[in-house]
Amino acid sequence: MSLFSFLNKRSSAPVARERLQILLAHERALAGKSDLAAILQEEILAVIARHIAVDREKVQVKLDRGNAVSTLEIDIEMPEQPGASGAAKVPVRN
Amino acid sequence: MAKVLVVTSGKGGVGKTTTTAALGAALAQSGKNVVVVDFDVGLRNLDLIMGAERRVVFDLINVVQGDAKLPQALIRDKRIDTLSLLPASQTRDKDALTEEGVARVIAELREKFDWVVCDSPAGIEKGATLSMRHADAAVIVTNPEVSSVRDSDRIIGLLDSKTLRAETGGRIEKHLLLTRYDPARAARGEMLKVDDVIEILSVPLLGIIPDSEEVLRASNLGAPVTLANPTSPPARAYFEAARRLMGETIDVTVPSEKRGLIGRLFGRKVVA
């Protein structure tokens, strides 16, 4: 807790403003469309399932929305082949 | 010609009912024939804020379903005779509202009044969408706080797509009303500023209602704040907003309490 963090604590409104601008830009772009992450997850899984048996319970989806680049991370565990678990990273929008 | 106005926000607790009562009363106090309509079926509160909770016999659902005639359900305000209330039902749920029934009631209200002010329930479900369905104009009530601004943005999207005007190629008139605003905190960078909210939502400003003890006092008494204390800062802000709704062009100010010497010195120190 330095003097600097004390000064920063006072002025939280600019942070609120920036967070809202980023969030609403994304939400407006997605308005009326169905959940992009869910669609990508389903289609990517369907492709993989054609070749490998995938346990639906062992699929992790992470979305990180940034200012310039967003990352969609789909982590699929493949228990049949030990050590073969991999992550597919798909940039979705900028 | 009658104008249908919806008071909406998405988020609950930001001041929709307070605003409906205060704007409705302010319009009526300037001589307009006004009805305020509660669309919050199952959780009605406009009757309580207006001080008419003991006079409710029939409600919006009764009229929508044809169990009562509109004049039977309307409650005339005891203080201003140009102000009426159409309460919501407390025992039914929102599914009792039908698209056709609401259309019929709104059409009938348009014939009787200059202003039909609809108090939307929180959320984006049936009650909220039906309350905005027939609106010519909308007042979007927003607090200078992130979740309220986000929900307002969502509601603006619905106003531009799901209202009758939007669906028939027209535009709904949108107005931003910033409530619970604290100019001193905004000046210190602790609260979103008016300009921040206007820029983020891109909706013209109808008014700024300062955070004030008078709003709670008015609700305790069962009177719109413009009646309970007409010279208080929030009441003055609502009167100004009502004048803008009626087409007047006046500068937006943040009314404040008249302060004594100590208050003035303190106020200046904070702003500087």
Side-chain angles (χ1 to χ4, degrees):
Chain A
M1 288 294 130
S2 62
L3 179 65
F4 185 68
S5 74
F6 169 75
L7 287 172
N8 256 354
K9 202 177 124 197
R10 288 262 103 178
S11 145
S12 54
V15 181
R17 180 194 150 98
E18 197 188 330
R19 288 177 60 216
L20 273 169
Q21 280 171 331
I22 294 171
L23 173 69
L24 295 183
H26 281 283
E27 289 191 342
R28 284 170 190 158
L30 289 173
K33 293 178 198 159
S34 23
D35 190 354
L36 181 65
I39 293 170
L40 285 175
Q41 182 192 344
E42 275 312 300
E43 295 191 0
I44 291 168
L45 271 178
V47 170
I48 294 169
R50 258 187 254 151
H51 305 282
I52 311 156
V54 177
D55 184 352
R56 292 271 166 149
E57 305 278 302
K58 290 180 177 166
V59 176
Q60 300 269 341
V61 180
K62 285 182 202 160
L63 182 63
D64 188 7
R65 295 186 299 197
N67 206 347
V69 175
S70 300
T71 319
L72 176 71
E73 193 176 316
I74 301 177
D75 198 333
I76 304 162
E77 195 182 312
M78 293 180 284
E80 301 296 307
Q81 297 158 289
S85 166
K89 284 194 181 184
V90 188
V92 279
R93 72 171 57 247
N94 53 14
Chain B
M1 215 182 89
K3 198 157 193 177
V4 178
L5 181 75
V6 61
V7 177
T8 184
S9 69
K11 190 176 184 295
V14 297
K16 282 183 296 297
T17 303
T18 299
T19 296
T20 304
L23 277 182
L27 290 165
Q29 281 165 284
S30 68
K32 302 287 180 189
N33 252 316
V34 181
V35 62
V36 288
V37 186
D38 193 348
F39 271 83
D40 204 347
V41 179
L43 288 170
R44 75 171 173 221
N45 274 320
L46 188 55
D47 56 333
L48 197 54
I49 298 301
M50 301 281 294
E53 70 277 11
R54 288 186 293 180
R55 300 169 63 206
V56 177
V57 184
F58 295 112
D59 55 58
L60 175 65
I61 299 295
N62 294 136
V63 183
V64 162
Q65 299 196 331
D67 302 330
K69 296 277 178 215
L70 182 60
Q72 294 178 293
L74 288 172
I75 301 168
R76 174 81 64 89
D77 191 90
K78 285 189 168 166
R79 299 148 297 203
I80 318 168
D81 60 3
T82 54
L83 180 62
S84 296
L85 162 72
L86 181 55
S89 167
Q90 185 69 340
T91 51
R92 309 293 290 273
D93 63 40
K94 290 175 174 74
D95 293 331
L97 285 173
T98 62
E99 170 102 37
E100 307 73 43
V102 170
R104 190 169 41 78
V105 172
I106 297 284
E108 212 174 321
L109 290 171
R110 273 186 196 271
E111 285 174 23
K112 290 178 187 286
F113 297 95
D114 302 318
W115 287 89
V116 180
V117 186
C118 303
D119 186 18
S120 168
I124 51 171
E125 308 293 321
K126 194 176 182 185
T129 49
L130 278 178
S131 71
M132 66 170 68
R133 184 84 186 135
H134 302 274
D136 304 308
V139 170
I140 300 136
V141 181
T142 307
N143 291 168
E145 177 271 325
V146 288
S147 54
S148 174
V149 175
R150 180 199 210 171
D151 291 0
S152 291
D153 192 71
R154 187 79 204 281
I155 281 293
I156 291 164
L158 293 179
L159 287 167
D160 287 334
S161 62
K162 303 280 183 199
T163 52
L164 214 57
R165 279 205 167 209
E167 284 178 7
T168 53
R171 281 184 67 81
I172 187 161
E173 198 185 293
K174 296 188 293 283
H175 305 276
L176 176 68
L177 188 74
L178 204 57
T179 57
R180 300 219 167 117
Y181 191 69
D182 185 334
R185 295 197 72 188
R188 290 197 296 268
E190 296 171 15
M191 182 183 266
L192 287 167
K193 289 188 170 66
V194 179
D195 289 343
D196 292 339
V197 183
I198 297 172
E199 192 196 325
I200 291 168
L201 294 177
S202 306
V203 171
L205 186 66
L206 180 70
I208 304 161
I209 313 300
D211 196 21
S212 165
E213 293 166 4
E214 286 302 317
V215 173
L216 177 59
R217 186 175 163 269
S219 86
N220 287 342
L221 299 173
V225 70
T226 53
L227 277 173
N229 187 350
T231 57
S232 66
R236 275 150 52 208
Y238 276 119
F239 279 122
E240 283 187 15
R243 284 169 63 193
R244 282 184 208 103
L245 276 177
M246 290 185 287
E248 275 187 57
T249 312
I250 37 176
D251 287 342
V252 178
T253 58
V254 190
S256 58
E257 304 282 354
K258 284 199 179 78
R259 280 192 294 243
L261 181 65
I262 291 169
R264 274 171 204 236
L265 286 173
F266 178 70
R268 268 195 207 146
K269 201 167 90 186
V270 164
V271 173

